[in-house]
Amino acid sequence: MHIEDSRPASKTDIARLEHKLDGNISRLDGNISRLDGNISRLDQKIDRVASAVVKLQSEVTEIKQTMSTKEDINRILNAIDSF
C-alpha cells in the first residue's frame, strides 16, 4: 500500500506491514540489548575511575599533611646556620 493510495489496506498490505514492523522491532530489541551491555561496561569503568579518584584524593591529602613547605625548610636551614 502506498501513502498516496486512498484505498483501504488489503490483508496482504497489512501482512507485509506487520512483517516489516516485526523486523524493525527485532532490530530495535537487538540495539537495546547492545546498549544495555554498553551501559553495564560503562558503569564498571565509572566505578573503577571513582575508586581511583577516591584513592588519589586520599594520597594527596596525606602528602599535603606530611610535606614540608618552603617556609619550613627555610626555618630549618636558618636554625642550622645559627648554630
Side-chain angles (χ1 to χ4, degrees):
M1 183 175 98
H2 296 98
I3 295 177
E4 306 89 34
D5 196 350
S6 61
R7 292 177 290 156
S10 67
K11 288 182 181 181
T12 304
D13 292 334
I14 292 171
R16 224 178 297 151
L17 182 60
E18 284 177 340
H19 179 72
K20 187 175 180 179
L21 288 174
D22 286 343
N24 288 343
I25 289 170
S26 293
R27 279 194 301 280
L28 288 173
D29 285 344
N31 289 343
I32 289 170
S33 294
R34 281 193 303 281
L35 288 172
D36 285 344
N38 289 343
I39 289 170
S40 293
R41 283 190 297 282
L42 287 173
D43 282 344
Q44 292 170 358
K45 287 179 182 182
I46 288 170
D47 289 344
R48 284 194 303 272
V49 169
S51 294
V53 167
V54 168
K55 181 180 177 190
L56 186 60
Q57 285 175 333
S58 173
E59 291 171 352
V60 167
T61 300
E62 182 181 348
I63 289 169
K64 285 181 177 181
Q65 290 172 347
T66 59
M67 73 179 210
S68 299
T69 64
K70 185 176 179 180
E71 184 180 311
D72 294 336
I73 300 298
N74 284 336
R75 198 171 339 124
I76 292 169
L77 290 176
N78 288 337
I80 292 172
D81 285 344
S82 67
F83 276 119

